[in-house]
Amino acid sequence: MKVLVAVKRVVDYNVKVRVKNDGSGVDLTNVKMSINPFDEIAVEEAVRLKEAGKVDEVVLVSIGSAKSEETLRTGLAMGADRGILVNTDDLAVEPLAVAKILQKVTEKEQPSLVILGKQAIDDDCNQTGQMLSALMNWPQGTFASEVALDDTQVTVTREVDGGLQTVKLSLPAVVTTDLRLNEPRFASLPNIMKAKKKPVDKLTPAELGLGEGDIKPRLEIVQTQEPAKRQAGIKVVTVAELVDKLKNEAGVL
Amino acid sequence: MSNDPLLQPYQLKHLTLRNRIIMTSHEPAYPEEGMPKGRYIAYHAERAKGGVAMTMTAGSAAVSKDSPPVFNNLLVYKDEVVPYIKDLTDAVHEHGAAIMIQLTHLGRRTRWDKAHWLPVVSPSHNREAAHRAFPKKLEDWDIERIIKDYADAAERMQAGGMDGIELQAYGHLMDQFWSPLTNDLDGPYGGSLDNRLQFAFDVLSAIRQRVGNEFIVGMRYTGDEMMDRGLSPEEGFEISRRLTESGMVDFLNVVRGHIDTDPGLTDVIPIQGMANSPHLDFAGDIRAATGMPVFHAAKIPDVATARHAVASGKVDLVGMTRAHLTDPHIVRKIIEKREEQIRPCVGANYCLDRIYQGGEALCLHNAASGREQTMPHDIPKATTKKKFVIVGAGPAGLEAARVAGERGHEVVVLEAANVPGGQVRLTAQSERRKEMISIIDWRMAECERLGVQFKFNTWAEADDVEAENPDVVIIATGGLPHTDVLSRGNEHVISTWDIISGDVKPGKNVLVFDDAGDHAGLQAAEIIAKTGAKVEIMTPDRAFAPEVMAMNLVPYMRTLQALDTTFTVTYRLDAVEKDGATLKAHIGSDYGGINQVREYDQIIVNHGVIPLDDIYFELKPHSINLGEMSHDQLINGSAQSVVRNPDGRYQLFRIGDAVATRNTHAAIYDALRLVKDL
């Protein structure tokens, strides 16, 4: 059985992001980039399925600039077998475009299971997995906190409002990962070295049969704003004063 | 005036202390011929300069000839010590700190085959496990002699300008009298608690007669031996009250536990992975019961805990002793509201473990501590700005980047992984060693402050380095585990890294062949043993894990013994054969004549790393110095100026494990002493 895992190169979760002066987006110069944490969980899950003997091959796909190869190497160091880089250069691809590219890759690779992060921590869209499922007409198990795979179906425990929901999907299927699915492993230096030698195919959307119109942005970013700076607090002496301020100044009582 | 509880002054009799943070007595083993000379003075002066309220010197300064130091301690039984003490106290006072010293007679906690070959003495013949000497049971004339020695030494310290002294009573002669476990004497010094305390009060009386009532005298003592039949907490409180009521003691410096074994010592002075401030509440109870000025130290590594200790009234003065080995300027940084820049003590205990092996105290990740005469804590700016490219973001590379950043250079670090840390991050995968990652986190924060640029996920090739147009290239790439050490069957063994990183699942019946004797072997063994597997640790050495050292070994032993690990010393794994799922280990011995075959399902070889040095050798022909580092310039503290290839484009240096397997301190010292002059 083959598993396809989608990985995205995003601003590292430790970075305090800054907005560009002109408000056109986030400043990425000299900013540490990493694999999207939810995608890292997806890679880990796929590698664990392989270690458990349920999967023969783990294929990674990343969509973005040539630098996304770094992200593929991170996943390869964790134990994936090979990578596919779909180079979109500097074009900002939106979830639907990504889902269309993934659809083409999925048709080409014929995996039994596609695992994606539930969302990327840069745009927080949470759309790609669902869109891919619709485009492929495959069942979807989103926000997975547990995945059990057998030959014909996958059982997914989903994190939903107020509890857990368990669904059974027949294969092939799309699964998106939630935070508690697993704890990704430490990629050690020997494995980073081995990952250097693993194959990465480089493709373009055109080579996958997608035209410019298929992947061009449909949204226009009007403005990007930093959150308002936190105001300095004040100290109150008595409970009465606190209540007064909450009532009359903060207006929350 | 700050309202920080730690920054409030404190009045101890006539002595005004400028804040509440002290270093409790400790012996970094820097004396020269038993005297505190240049290195000793520089070490304490740096901490006084850094703002500490008081530094307490000389763990265990020896008052008698038959208390020979077990490591390099001060010999305060000699009159010649006085002018050296004067130099030391002057240097500390000049920076506004107070200074005291700890006096002791070690009793049985030493050896007879040292110094004057005098028999070791104690109130019983009971041997101390840690130092192994069978003591002579004290006679009347021994006791009289030692009481006088204490008074003589106290007088010398007063003459040397000390602000006070403390007497040591946890594991040394004084509390060997106190504890029922180590006092077999009859009256007047043995038997009842009154009698067992008589020696201490005789010493205090003799000291008071000699130094007067104004001079500050305190007691650092155990209030609970935490041992079956040992000194109980009830007796400890009673002793605390009697010391208070005697009027001869000005402060209580509280310790809890016993130090006659490595595990006991490690519970008194806990190391990384053990709970912080385990005895703080106990010290607070003694303060509440006596109303005396109380000092206390025991794994209080961070300012927040120290602040809590003082603010909650548990102690008057809080000891941050190992913390000051890591960062001598803690108080200055608190005052300047730069707490987040304090270099954190990670509890690696390299300092203490080294001294108990006869070395000098060094901090695992501050190579300037104890080397104040040659290594700077504040790195001066360079006169000319250079471009540095550093390959590798492990401890060596990050220290090089930090120091180059402090020098004002432009610095780019290339790192293969997505995260910094190298082998330190690997070691921090073990729950008990998690604190190690602060070595990396602190450097990353400093590098960010200094504008160092990082390129992660970058497996640097020679072209990547040269594309940056560097003036200086530093290769800090570390190494890869070296397991090819068998005569045959190397392909059947795995490395400790495979286990620690989680890449390989532990087997059920596992041999860990530890030929390096460092943490990695024991970490792997611990991970495997915890899965319920059968584990045997084998080493050709006479003792296993010698590089881990005494106190660091304690938590490993507690886990491994409980999980029934087998420890096999003096045997060597020669070869491995695979027979189905079984691995046949051919075992020999360096002593000869052994050829055994034993069966396992997994064999791990721990044998250090092989340097990852391809890039170094690729760059070498293009460098000015062809990679040569002048040892004379390195040791003398001058800039590297070797020219072997005038057409070279940059200076090239290699540091840390990229040169040869060593340890974190070596990696950091390599970086600091090279880059501080570049």
Side-chain angles (χ1 to χ4, degrees):
Chain A
M1 192 182 290
K2 187 195 282 186
V3 176
L4 182 69
V5 180
V7 294
K8 183 176 183 184
R9 180 173 184 265
V10 298
V11 174
D12 186 86
Y13 70 93
N14 278 313
V15 170
K16 196 168 176 292
V17 293
R18 293 180 309 267
V19 169
K20 283 190 208 162
N21 287 338
D22 62 3
S24 63
V26 168
D27 188 357
L28 295 181
T29 41
N30 288 336
V31 167
K32 186 182 178 207
M33 306 294 282
S34 291
I35 184 170
N36 176 37
F38 292 108
D39 301 347
E40 193 178 11
I41 292 170
V43 176
E44 175 67 30
E45 195 64 18
V47 172
R48 286 188 192 186
L49 290 171
K50 188 180 171 191
E51 285 169 348
K54 293 177 177 174
V55 162
D56 307 309
E57 191 183 25
V58 176
V59 182
L60 305 182
V61 53
S62 190
I63 299 163
S65 71
K67 286 199 164 165
S68 292
E69 186 174 342
E70 285 173 12
T71 312
L72 289 170
R73 297 284 170 203
T74 303
L76 294 172
M78 291 171 68
D81 298 293
R82 61 187 172 89
I84 298 168
L85 171 65
V86 182
N87 193 336
T88 54
D89 294 321
D90 295 327
L91 185 70
V93 279
E94 289 169 1
L96 184 58
V98 172
K100 285 180 185 171
I101 294 170
L102 290 177
Q103 178 192 8
K104 295 293 179 191
V105 174
T106 304
E107 284 165 3
K108 186 166 176 275
E109 290 289 333
Q110 299 285 320
S112 304
L113 188 63
V114 182
I115 311 182
L116 308 88
K118 70 168 181 180
Q119 69 197 61
I121 61 165
D122 50 3
D123 57 21
D124 277 341
C125 281
N126 183 0
Q127 296 167 3
T128 305
Q130 295 87 330
M131 288 175 170
L132 174 65
S133 155
L135 290 170
M136 293 300 297
N137 201 21
W138 285 5
Q140 57 175 294
T142 51
F143 318 133
S145 64
E146 206 182 322
V147 171
L149 183 68
D150 63 36
D151 291 340
T152 56
Q153 60 185 19
V154 58
T155 308
V156 177
T157 306
R158 307 179 62 227
E159 301 213 344
V160 295
D161 283 351
L164 299 175
Q165 181 189 56
T166 305
V167 294
K168 269 193 181 150
L169 322 174
S170 18
L171 296 177
V174 174
V175 168
T176 74
T177 61
D178 215 322
L179 197 62
R180 280 158 287 273
L181 178 58
N182 60 48
E183 253 183 71
R185 72 192 56 201
F186 170 78
S188 62
L189 192 61
N191 284 334
I192 293 169
M193 248 183 125
K194 278 182 214 154
K196 275 175 61 186
K197 299 200 179 92
K198 291 182 180 176
V200 172
D201 283 342
K202 287 167 192 167
L203 300 171
T204 60
E207 286 166 339
L208 289 165
L210 291 167
E212 220 171 275
D214 293 316
I215 58 167
K216 73 160 192 262
R218 298 148 60 93
L219 304 173
E220 183 196 343
I221 292 173
V222 180
Q223 201 186 4
T224 308
Q225 259 183 309
E226 284 193 28
K229 288 242 175 350
R230 190 165 173 263
Q231 301 291 314
I234 51 163
K235 279 189 179 173
V236 292
V237 180
T238 63
V239 175
E241 190 189 347
L242 173 67
V243 172
D244 176 65
K245 288 205 185 293
L246 289 174
K247 198 178 277 177
N248 299 319
E249 285 182 29
V252 295
L253 284 183
Chain B
M1 180 75 204
S2 164
N3 58 8
D4 187 337
L6 288 173
L7 298 181
Q8 304 310 308
Y10 184 72
Q11 195 66 34
L12 182 65
K13 276 177 125 171
H14 51 275
L15 182 67
T16 306
L17 297 168
R18 57 186 168 180
N19 59 63
R20 302 302 186 97
I21 298 179
I22 63 170
M23 299 177 76
T24 50
S25 283
H26 60 292
E27 181 47 77
Y30 304 150
E32 293 155 59
E33 287 110 23
M35 301 295 133
K37 297 186 184 175
R39 181 182 192 183
Y40 209 100
I41 292 170
Y43 168 80
H44 284 287
E46 184 73 37
R47 276 122 193 111
K49 209 189 299 175
V52 76
M54 171 162 74
T55 180
M56 301 184 74
T57 59
S60 318
V63 300
S64 300
K65 291 191 183 71
D66 60 349
S67 174
V70 284
F71 45 85
N72 185 9
N73 300 72
L74 293 176
L75 306 178
V76 292
Y77 59 77
K78 294 187 175 181
D79 285 334
E80 63 179 272
V81 78
V82 175
Y84 293 108
I85 294 289
K86 190 79 183 65
D87 289 347
L88 172 64
T89 57
D90 284 350
V92 169
H93 285 147
E94 193 181 313
H95 296 291
I99 178 167
M100 295 193 191
I101 190 166
Q102 180 183 80
L103 305 182
T104 201
H105 190 295
L106 292 161
R108 64 177 191 154
R109 190 174 168 77
T110 183
R111 295 182 62 90
W112 44 265
D113 59 348
K114 293 167 108 48
H116 303 288
W117 281 65
L118 296 170
V120 160
V121 293
S122 190
S124 78
H125 289 297
N126 297 339
R127 176 200 199 213
E128 192 213 51
H131 294 88
R132 311 174 52 81
F134 294 99
K136 167 198 172 183
K137 193 154 93 176
L138 288 155
E139 297 178 68
D140 49 1
W141 57 268
D142 285 314
I143 294 173
E144 284 166 27
R145 167 176 65 79
I146 294 169
I147 292 169
K148 180 176 177 297
D149 286 346
Y150 266 103
D152 289 346
E155 188 180 354
R156 289 183 194 106
M157 297 306 103
Q158 190 178 33
M162 283 285 173
D163 293 306
I165 58 170
E166 71 174 8
L167 308 181
Q168 206 275 17
Y170 61 106
H172 292 190
L173 182 64
M174 191 160 281
D175 66 305
Q176 286 161 27
F177 275 95
W178 296 1
S179 172
L181 288 173
T182 47
N183 188 338
D184 288 344
L185 295 174
D186 300 323
Y189 291 102
S192 67
L193 182 63
D194 278 335
N195 287 353
R196 285 183 274 133
L197 291 177
Q198 193 57 48
F199 174 75
F201 286 115
D202 284 357
V203 168
L204 283 167
S205 302
I207 288 174
R208 280 296 175 205
Q209 276 177 20
R210 201 71 70 81
V211 300
N213 287 329
E214 286 309 301
F215 192 61
I216 294 172
V217 178
M219 184 73 78
R220 192 174 198 197
Y221 68 107
T222 179
D224 174 6
E225 277 194 299
M226 299 182 90
M227 256 177 127
D228 191 27
R229 292 173 290 126
L231 206 63
S232 67
E234 292 72 28
E235 283 178 306
F237 276 87
E238 183 57 29
I239 292 169
S240 308
R241 276 188 287 272
R242 292 193 194 190
L243 288 170
T244 306
E245 285 160 11
S246 76
M248 291 190 285
V249 176
D250 300 312
F251 66 85
L252 301 177
N253 193 347
V254 178
V255 167
R256 185 169 64 160
H258 61 97
I259 63 169
D260 56 324
T261 60
D262 293 344
L265 177 67
T266 310
D267 286 333
V268 169
I269 313 174
I271 65 163
Q272 69 183 194
M274 299 169 76
N276 279 0
S277 61
H279 310 310
L280 177 60
D281 290 343
F282 181 75
D285 292 345
I286 286 189
R287 183 172 185 265
T290 61
M292 282 285 276
V294 163
F295 311 172
H296 173 68
K299 202 173 189 239
I300 300 177
D302 61 295
V303 172
T305 308
R307 191 171 280 132
H308 161 73
V310 171
S312 61
K314 292 183 193 300
V315 301
D316 295 283
L317 300 176
V318 60
M320 297 186 75
T321 308
R322 281 177 291 181
H324 267 90
L325 250 128
T326 313
D327 192 333
H329 305 147
I330 291 175
V331 175
R332 185 205 291 172
K333 288 175 182 174
I334 296 172
I335 292 170
E336 293 172 0
K337 302 203 180 300
R338 297 190 289 130
E339 262 175 50
E340 73 287 354
Q341 288 178 24
I342 293 171
R343 186 184 320 217
C345 171
V346 297
N349 212 51
Y350 193 59
C351 48
L352 273 158
D353 268 331
R354 277 181 56 86
I355 60 170
Y356 284 114
Q357 285 204 343
E360 78 278 57
L362 294 172
C363 173
L364 188 70
H365 81 119
N366 186 346
S369 284
R371 297 195 182 100
E372 280 74 13
Q373 291 171 302
T374 54
M375 294 293 133
H377 286 283
D378 294 314
I379 314 279
K381 282 259 180 294
T383 43
T384 37
K385 183 171 173 163
K386 294 178 190 167
K387 169 84 179 267
F388 275 60
V389 173
I390 296 166
V391 184
L398 288 182
E399 177 72 352
R402 178 188 78 86
V403 177
E406 291 276 16
R407 301 270 295 148
H409 297 307
E410 183 188 350
V411 187
V412 178
V413 181
L414 309 177
E415 164 59 40
N418 184 39
V419 282
Q423 288 180 65
V424 171
R425 185 167 295 273
L426 182 77
T427 224
Q429 298 299 304
S430 289
E431 182 64 26
R432 256 190 331 91
R433 302 206 86 210
K434 260 166 59 178
E435 288 172 66
M436 292 290 281
I437 206 65
S438 296
I439 294 173
I440 302 306
D441 289 346
W442 178 77
R443 284 185 170 72
M444 286 304 289
E446 287 293 288
C447 283
E448 190 179 341
R449 183 173 66 78
L450 297 165
V452 172
Q453 203 191 327
F454 285 87
K455 294 187 180 176
F456 291 100
N457 298 306
T458 304
W459 190 285
E461 306 290 353
D463 294 346
D464 301 321
V465 171
E466 290 184 343
E468 299 278 350
N469 283 319
D471 301 305
V472 179
V473 177
I474 296 177
I475 303 301
T477 42
L480 290 169
H482 182 30
T483 57
D484 287 358
V485 296
L486 308 179
S487 60
R488 69 205 140 84
N490 284 316
E491 67 276 21
H492 303 310
V493 305
I494 59 169
S495 74
T496 51
W497 291 26
D498 290 326
I499 294 291
I500 298 167
S501 67
D503 287 337
V504 176
K505 298 243 170 331
K508 296 278 172 232
N509 175 22
V510 183
L511 173 67
V512 177
F513 177 61
D514 189 359
D515 202 10
D518 55 14
H519 280 276
L522 293 185
Q523 280 182 267
E526 199 174 16
I527 290 166
I528 299 163
K530 279 180 174 172
T531 66
K534 191 162 164 258
V535 179
E536 177 176 359
I537 299 174
M538 179 182 290
T539 172
D541 296 326
R542 279 177 290 140
F544 68 98
E547 309 297 331
V548 170
M549 302 192 278
M551 292 169 75
N552 266 282
L553 189 64
V554 171
Y556 288 116
M557 289 308 288
R558 284 182 171 157
T559 309
L560 293 171
Q561 282 192 334
L563 295 169
D564 212 16
T565 301
T566 304
F567 302 96
T568 306
V569 295
T570 70
Y571 288 88
R572 180 181 288 281
L573 178 67
D574 288 331
V576 174
E577 273 179 299
K578 199 167 164 71
D579 180 7
T582 303
L583 295 174
K584 287 190 168 167
H586 292 260
I587 291 158
S589 160
D590 295 353
Y591 297 89
I594 298 294
N595 189 359
Q596 300 172 358
V597 177
R598 295 187 213 166
E599 295 186 348
Y600 306 90
D601 69 358
Q602 189 175 57
I603 295 177
I604 289 147
V605 169
N606 186 37
H607 190 87
V609 300
I610 280 282
L612 199 56
D613 52 13
D614 299 355
I615 188 167
Y616 168 78
F617 286 104
E618 249 181 277
L619 293 170
K620 190 173 163 176
H622 308 149
S623 65
I624 296 165
N625 57 331
L626 299 182
E628 181 179 336
M629 199 185 285
S630 158
H631 287 176
D632 286 341
Q633 287 174 335
L634 190 70
I635 293 164
N636 297 337
S638 48
Q640 292 287 322
S641 64
V642 175
V643 177
R644 292 175 68 105
N645 170 24
D647 299 331
R649 300 200 287 274
Y650 41 79
Q651 285 184 299
L652 173 70
F653 304 103
R654 189 159 56 128
I655 58 174
D657 277 6
V659 181
T661 303
R662 286 167 292 162
N663 66 12
T664 308
H665 182 83
I668 284 171
Y669 188 28
D670 269 6
L672 173 65
R673 75 170 156 173
L674 171 70
V675 181
K676 75 177 171 57
D677 299 313
L678 291 178

